[in-house]
Each structure stands twice: as structure tokens, then as C-alpha cells.
Amino acid sequence: MRVGDSLPGDQAEVIFTTEAEEWIASHVEDSQWDEFLDDVVALFTQPWGKHPLSNRNASDQLAGLNTTATLRGDYRIVFRATISPEGTGLIEILAIGPRSNNRIYDSVNALISSGKLSEDEVQSIWDMLEIYESTAEKHGLELWDYSPEPAPPGLIKAVVTIGALPQELAEILSADEINAALADAWDPDSGDLDPARALRAAVERVAGSADPERIIALRQEPRCGAHMPRADKPCVRRRGHPGAHRATL
């Protein structure tokens, strides 16, 4: 994308090639992840990055690729930002490497010549964020900001019939969350049914959050539904969410 272009709603599906993911695992320390993610998130509102890559010689095939600096400016992220025919943004993080001596050019050209840039071996940003939950909300990439697949009708009926959860709540919980509610629905001391305990267990099963009321409220909002070009699925986050689309739970 060129300077001044924008992604629809400043949103996009974000994926990393296997090579980029492996580089991150080897080079980005826990203390640096926050800084690195800042630079990735900036691409939602500035999808042209710092500047486009240019061909150094006739054998280069760098058209359509851009770079941005990261980790104190010592490294370059090479990415491609596009918009699908359905109108969904896509940011592909292709390679990361040192800025010195333009070594990143060699890395990208190696990927191009090997044909790896056309492969589907990619990692969603959500999978990568699972080990960095403390930074996710800061960057508008909340791990639980989604609406899960509904539980089977029989499971919903069971948890409602015994009085562990009300119908309207059971209908927006996943099967795992309802099973967690059922497993923890009775007070261990008195043996009495405890609906509040059941709800806490259900929410903590996936979200790990101390704010279940917010989670439940967000799940009842309309979904984004943008079709994600690489995942080939609709976004399950709430409508108007910041940043990255999400296709899976």
C-alpha cells in the first residue's frame, strides 16, 4: 500500500510466515515484546510502514513489499498490506532481519526464490499472543473479545434445568465453559447449588478474567463478520473492534 492509503476500519487479518515466527521466537525477549507489538499494531493505521522495498537489481522481486523499523530501529519488518475483493484488510508479516548492510533484502529474496512466500504455512497473531496476555489488551488485541460457537442444545438445557445458569447466559457460552460451570456449580462445603460460582468457573475456563460482566456484555454485541482472506472465515470479534480480525476462538 502507498503512503496515505488506509485499511477498512483500520482493521486487518494479521499473519506471520513460519520464518518470521521463528525469528521472533529466537530474537524477541519477553521484555521486548511490548515494543515489538507496538510496531506491528501501528501498521493498522499506517499500512505503508516506513517505506517500500525497492529492487536493487533485475533479479529482485520486491514490488508490493514494505518495511517498518522495530526493536530500537535495529531491525526491519518486511510485510505486505492488501485489501481483499470482499473489502477486508490483510497484513502479512513476511520476514524480519537486521537493518545493517541491507541484510533483510537477502532474507526476503531467499524466501522469494524458494517459493516460500506463496505457501500457507502461516501463524495467526492470536496464536502468538497466547504467551503474551499481559500486553494484549494494551494494544487492542484482547484474547477473549469474541463470540464462541454455541454449546449443543442438550447441554444448554441441562445447565439451565438444574438452575446453574440462566437461559440467556447459557446460550452465549461455549461447551467448554458450560462444562466448567457444571463441574463447579455446587459449593464444596455445603453441597448447595451456587449459580454465581458456576458462572465464575465458566468464564475463567477460557477468559481467565476477573471481569466476567464485561465479557458477557461484549459477547452479546453484534459480531464483525468481515471475511478473512487467508483464514477463509468470518471475524468473530465484536463489530467495530480495534486492530486484528479473528477467525477462531
Side-chain angles (χ1 to χ4, degrees):
M1 301 186 76
R2 298 182 178 180
V3 174
D5 289 345
S6 61
L7 297 167
D10 295 333
Q11 301 169 330
E13 178 182 5
V14 182
I15 57 173
F16 296 78
T17 62
T18 301
E19 289 73 21
E21 180 193 2
E22 290 174 349
W23 189 95
I24 292 168
S26 299
H27 295 84
V28 181
E29 300 177 2
D30 287 359
S31 61
Q32 297 174 309
W33 177 254
D34 205 57
E35 177 188 352
F36 174 77
L37 193 56
D38 271 329
D39 295 324
V40 173
V41 169
L43 299 179
F44 291 119
T45 55
Q46 189 175 317
W48 58 88
K50 297 295 183 182
H51 61 80
L53 283 181
S54 58
N55 293 331
R56 295 178 301 176
N57 53 60
S59 64
D60 284 345
Q61 304 175 53
L62 305 177
L65 304 184
N66 294 68
T67 69
T68 192
T70 191
L71 300 180
R72 301 171 305 281
D74 294 335
Y75 297 91
R76 281 179 175 171
I77 300 174
V78 177
F79 68 97
R80 177 166 47 215
T82 55
I83 300 175
S84 73
E86 293 80 15
T88 305
L90 174 65
I91 297 174
E92 300 170 271
I93 307 295
L94 305 177
I96 307 170
R99 294 183 64 187
S100 58
N101 300 318
N102 284 325
R103 289 161 62 188
I104 189 62
Y105 281 81
D106 298 328
S107 299
V108 175
N109 278 328
L111 290 173
I112 292 173
S113 62
S114 67
K116 289 185 177 181
L117 289 189
S118 63
E119 293 184 0
D120 289 329
E121 297 179 6
V122 295
Q123 187 87 347
S124 165
I125 193 172
W126 298 101
D127 298 323
M128 298 182 63
L129 280 172
E130 288 181 359
I131 58 174
Y132 297 104
E133 294 189 19
S134 62
T135 67
E137 185 172 355
K138 170 182 180 292
H139 297 280
L141 300 171
E142 296 165 292
L143 298 180
W144 41 259
D145 177 20
Y146 61 83
S147 181
E149 290 293 329
L155 188 58
I156 294 175
K157 183 176 181 180
V159 75
V160 172
T161 299
I162 66 171
L165 295 174
Q167 180 80 29
E168 62 271 17
L169 288 179
E171 289 177 348
I172 59 175
L173 296 178
S174 68
D176 282 347
E177 291 167 333
I178 289 182
N179 282 326
L182 288 170
D184 210 26
W186 286 268
D187 186 287
D189 297 322
S190 67
D192 295 335
L193 184 68
D194 187 344
R197 180 186 178 89
L199 176 58
R200 285 194 300 271
V203 174
E204 290 170 0
R205 169 69 178 134
V206 172
S209 172
D211 192 5
E213 292 79 8
R214 184 184 180 207
I215 295 176
I216 297 303
L218 288 176
R219 285 191 180 180
Q220 296 178 79
E221 293 183 8
R223 298 296 101 192
C224 172
H227 182 268
M228 299 173 63
R230 293 302 293 267
D232 195 24
K233 294 180 180 179
C235 175
V236 296
R237 298 185 70 192
R238 72 187 191 279
R239 187 179 301 166
H241 66 79
H245 291 303
R246 182 175 188 172
T248 57
L249 310 182

